[in-house]
Amino acid sequence: MASLYKISVSNLGGIGNKRAELFAKLGINSIGDLLNFYPRSYEDWNLVEKIENLEYGTTVCIRATLATSVNDARISGGRIISKAMVFDDTGSLQIVFFNNRYISSMLKSGTEYLFYGKVTADSYGAQMVAPTFSAVQDATAIYPVYKQAAGLPSKNIAKTVKQALAMLPNTIKDPFPQQVREIFDLCDLRTALQNIHFPKDHEALERARKRLIIEELVVLNLGMRYLQESNRGMSGVKINIDYSNDFERLLPFEMTDAQKRAVSDCIKDMKQKNAQMNRLVQGDVGSGKTAVAASVCYTVVKNGFQAAFMAPTEILARQHYETFCKLFENTDIKVGLLTGSLKESEKKKVRQKLADGEINLIIGTHALITDKTEFKNLGLAVTDEQHRFGVAQRSKLLGKGENPHLLVMSATPIPRTLGLIIFGDLDISVIDELPPSRKPVKTVWFRSNQRDRVYSFIRSEAANGRQAYIVCPLVEEGELDDIAAAEEYAAELMLREFADIPVGLVHGQMKSDEKEKVMQKFVSGDYSILVSTTVIEVGVDVPNASVIMIENAERFGLSQLHQLRGRVGRGQFQSYCILISDKSGQPTKERLEVMCSTNDGFKIADEDLRMRGPGDFFGERQHGLPQMAIADFADTKSLELSQKISDYILFTYKDIRNEELRALKGEIDRLFNRGGHNSLN
Ligand code: ADP
Ligand code: MG
């Protein structure tokens, strides 16, 4: 199949430059692309409805006979309207075509046809406008419906696909060896492609879908395993002494048992001879992951190595930097900060100190993984809110030393099957306990006409010395509009509602030193209220904040709402999350009610996955996985099966470079190249 990706679609009949451009708009350049362009849905001409049972607005197939010949008439603008009555044994209906001069010669009075189209009504009763039709004897099939582009209707795509299918060489190599197909009851590639586009029947379609979904997931699965394996090697970093008890003395609080367990898991990993730690610490928002990371960094630095801590946003990096500076104030550990917004000269200085080993612990953003950054002896790489970093970025950080240990932290509880794919053979520690004296956040849902009540509540909290976040409405059209809307919203509050209360505004388009200034003033309590776009979403820690009000709550995903809610309830104060939404449709209702009824991040993630699928779950495809053509990450059954098949393949064929797996490896390379990753060698 691999070679088909090298043949342009313009080799097919009827595809000139213009048409090829239209195909390119759909992402189709080669014959291979075309064969992988699966139908969006199907028209099932086997399911024939009786006319008396038709419902307006549905798209159906009827089997009916023309009662009259087609009647053409001219209407305004020189257009032609063609009409005919058709009937079956239960009733009759009018079919209508516009500007089709050939219709009257194609449809014959007294002949029976299949018509497929949407049922609408005009003053004369039921009608079908511009249905597709076919003579009865030709039509017992399921037709593909493709995503179309302007000038390239589904029908034309189908025709082209048919040609491409005919070009499939007989010798086409199936990514799944026959043995695998037999054991797991999967049809072969040719049959699958044939039937995903032009299914023989429903059963064949289902088998084709299953086979293609499984193949895509197995390709992903194996690709991820190899990517991870190539990252995982012998570590030259020897951690001999555990300093975690010393570290605990630096903390202003006692670690929870769950935190201690996570730390000791990490140290055990790192003490193992030659092996590299590869661990995910998963804990709900506010469970205290930072202290865990700090402890592990401390031990690594005390053993004579450098540690790097990568955060997804500038604000978060700076905040961690402050925390770590304070924590290590009276120790000999030198903490540094490296973010994109530093002046070039400052960055240079920090990089020099890293290369010299003058800085032991560096906190930073993506700036840490650019080629310019060199370490003297990196022993540990930590990434915070891991799901926001792509796989490729993670491996880049690891490439910075002699196989440093890896610790990744995430608040997003990832369903197990998906976690296995994203994190491969990562070991997992779960922090399943919140620090003591935390009170669960109370979540309520209000309508916008109750906003004044919410404002006065915020006012009373502020009067008691607490602070509040207000998350502005997200505007759907684009970022710039978001900013304008946020500014306007904040200005309104500052001028009217909270004229006597200090209010700050932070949004994504602000320069990071401005952002930093505002955040700092909120952290220090100079601002009582922080109006923001979702830039505060991850990680930010202000234990004195007790209210978060979220405008247009329906526009956020559940996991995102949970992250936002995690900004409060981080100290000893009773905290509140107030969702504002006027939407009352079923999905919104269901989602906001889930938020109001539970604080359990795992439960919320499951619901999110169930209701919306993983695209949203991770926030705009930030999980770093390549895009799937047919598989769905919410389909846990297929994920599990693909896991099993991947295991079987590796067990049976030992190595992906095995000759039997050549076609499969070709697919893996293709998928990962498309996702911006390097080919696996
Ligand atoms: P997250 O897991 O969301 O990253 P943080 O590490 O930011 O959470 O911790 C949230 C807050 O809880 C911080 O203010 C931190 O100082 C505090 N904290 C962490 N661990 C404990 C503990 N064991 N006891 C009391 N407070 C803690
Ligand atoms: Mg955190």
Side-chain angles (χ1 to χ4, degrees), residues 312-360:
T313 67
E314 187 102 16
I315 288 182
L316 206 51
R318 282 177 184 265
Q319 194 180 30
H320 284 322
Y321 174 68
E322 310 275 325
T323 309
F324 282 51
C325 282
K326 217 189 283 156
L327 203 53
F328 297 130
E329 201 166 41
N330 298 315
T331 69
D332 51 0
I333 293 180
K334 302 270 176 323
V335 184
L337 176 70
L338 184 63
T339 64
S341 71
L342 291 181
K343 284 204 202 79
E344 245 354 278
S345 58
E346 290 174 279
K347 273 191 234 171
K348 219 171 146 188
K349 242 192 253 164
V350 175
R351 289 198 167 111
Q352 192 56 51
K353 285 185 182 172
L354 269 179
D356 293 346
E358 236 180 281
I359 290 175
N360 311 115

Side-chain angles (χ1 to χ4, degrees), residues 248-263:
E248 283 187 46
R249 278 182 226 125
L250 303 173
L251 284 174
F253 47 75
E254 167 92 6
M255 276 197 164
T256 62
D257 287 342
Q259 284 172 309
K260 287 183 192 168
R261 261 198 313 272
V263 171

Side-chain angles (χ1 to χ4, degrees), residues 611-658:
M611 290 181 205
R612 293 173 69 119
D616 188 78
F617 176 71
F618 288 101
E620 294 154 26
R621 211 169 278 127
Q622 275 167 328
H623 45 64
L625 292 179
Q627 197 178 344
M628 297 286 99
I630 188 168
D632 173 357
F633 292 132
D635 173 5
T636 42
K637 259 210 183 116
S638 299
L639 279 167
E640 269 159 26
L641 179 57
S642 73
Q643 193 77 23
K644 219 159 110 189
I645 296 179
S646 301
D647 288 341
Y648 175 85
I649 288 176
L650 285 184
F651 178 80
T652 311
Y653 301 96
K654 307 292 183 265
D655 191 304
I656 197 73
R657 293 158 199 91
N658 186 316

Side-chain angles (χ1 to χ4, degrees), residues 253-256 259 285-290 435 438 541 543 570:
F253 47 75
E254 167 92 6
M255 276 197 164
T256 62
Q259 284 172 309
V285 279
S287 61
K289 293 184 291 294
T290 316
R438 288 281 174 78
D541 184 43
R570 299 171 82 86

Side-chain angles (χ1 to χ4, degrees), residues 56-344:
Y56 294 125
T58 56
T59 301
V60 293
C61 187
I62 56 168
R63 183 179 178 141
T65 306
L66 250 70
T68 57
S69 52
V70 177
N71 174 22
D72 288 340
R74 277 198 183 277
I75 53 171
S76 63
R79 298 195 303 158
I80 305 169
I81 182 168
S82 316
K83 295 181 179 177
M85 286 306 286
V86 301
F87 64 92
D88 66 8
D89 52 4
T90 67
S92 65
L93 159 134
Q94 181 166 247
I95 53 168
V96 182
F97 296 86
F98 289 101
N99 284 332
N100 191 334
R101 279 181 289 143
Y102 308 106
I103 284 296
S104 47
S105 56
M106 287 160 88
L107 291 175
K108 302 248 165 354
S109 172
T111 309
E112 194 176 36
Y113 299 90
L114 287 163
F115 296 96
Y116 190 94
K118 189 167 168 179
V119 185
T120 53
D122 78 350
S123 42
Y124 301 106
Q127 62 176 20
M128 252 186 200
V129 177
T132 16
F133 57 88
S134 164
V136 168
Q137 64 276 17
D138 300 342
T140 48
I142 304 169
Y143 290 95
V145 180
Y146 296 93
K147 180 181 164 205
Q148 26 193 25
L152 188 58
S154 172
K155 249 195 240 166
N156 292 13
I157 299 175
K159 236 186 187 155
T160 318
V161 170
K162 210 164 221 164
Q163 279 189 59
L165 281 171
M167 277 181 65
L168 271 183
N170 279 328
T171 52
I172 183 170
K173 195 110 175 77
D174 194 317
F176 285 145
Q178 189 175 356
Q179 191 180 335
V180 173
R181 294 199 309 265
E182 275 170 13
I183 290 179
F184 294 97
D185 187 29
L186 299 166
C187 69
D188 65 87
L189 178 62
R190 171 187 292 276
T191 311
L193 286 174
Q194 190 74 46
N195 283 288
I196 197 77
H197 291 290
F198 300 100
K200 190 164 58 88
D201 50 40
H202 282 276
E203 200 195 327
L205 174 58
E206 267 327 295
R207 279 182 66 73
R209 277 181 60 79
K210 175 178 167 195
R211 142 82 208 218
L212 294 169
I213 287 170
I214 294 299
E215 179 183 318
E216 191 165 38
L217 289 174
V218 167
V219 164
L220 175 68
N221 231 305
L222 290 175
M224 293 298 284
R225 290 191 200 188
Y226 272 84
L227 202 65
Q228 274 149 354
E229 190 178 276
S230 60
N231 289 336
R232 189 173 194 165
M234 309 271 273
S235 178
V237 181
K238 295 248 161 39
I239 301 301
N240 297 314
I241 309 173
D242 174 0
Y243 287 92
S244 56
N245 288 332
D246 289 1
F247 172 81
E248 283 187 46
R249 278 182 226 125
L250 303 173
L251 284 174
F253 47 75
E254 167 92 6
M255 276 197 164
T256 62
D257 287 342
Q259 284 172 309
K260 287 183 192 168
R261 261 198 313 272
V263 171
S264 97
D265 286 348
C266 293
I267 297 200
K268 214 187 290 159
D269 289 353
M270 295 192 300
K271 273 180 143 179
Q272 265 176 24
K273 266 215 163 44
N274 294 336
Q276 192 181 7
M277 168 165 79
N278 205 16
R279 183 168 290 275
L280 165 70
V281 169
Q282 204 172 69
D284 208 348
V285 279
S287 61
K289 293 184 291 294
T290 316
V292 170
S295 175
V296 180
C297 288
Y298 186 80
T299 286
V300 167
V301 171
K302 281 293 188 183
N303 277 273
F305 295 94
Q306 290 172 303
F309 189 124
M310 188 158 80
T313 67
E314 187 102 16
I315 288 182
L316 206 51
R318 282 177 184 265
Q319 194 180 30
H320 284 322
Y321 174 68
E322 310 275 325
T323 309
F324 282 51
C325 282
K326 217 189 283 156
L327 203 53
F328 297 130
E329 201 166 41
N330 298 315
T331 69
D332 51 0
I333 293 180
K334 302 270 176 323
V335 184
L337 176 70
L338 184 63
T339 64
S341 71
L342 291 181
K343 284 204 202 79
E344 245 354 278

Side-chain angles (χ1 to χ4, degrees), residues 556-602:
F556 295 93
L558 271 185
S559 293
Q560 218 181 352
L561 286 174
H562 184 63
Q563 269 285 346
L564 285 168
R565 175 166 65 183
R567 296 316 102 215
V568 298
R570 299 171 82 86
Q572 78 264 38
F573 309 108
Q574 176 60 57
S575 297
Y576 305 87
C577 171
I578 301 166
L579 307 171
I580 307 286
S581 176
D582 289 336
K583 288 271 155 62
S584 49
Q586 198 50 37
T588 299
K589 207 163 156 236
E590 217 180 306
R591 284 190 311 126
L592 299 187
E593 277 166 5
V594 169
M595 284 302 294
C596 295
S597 68
T598 181
N599 275 304
D600 181 339
F602 274 89

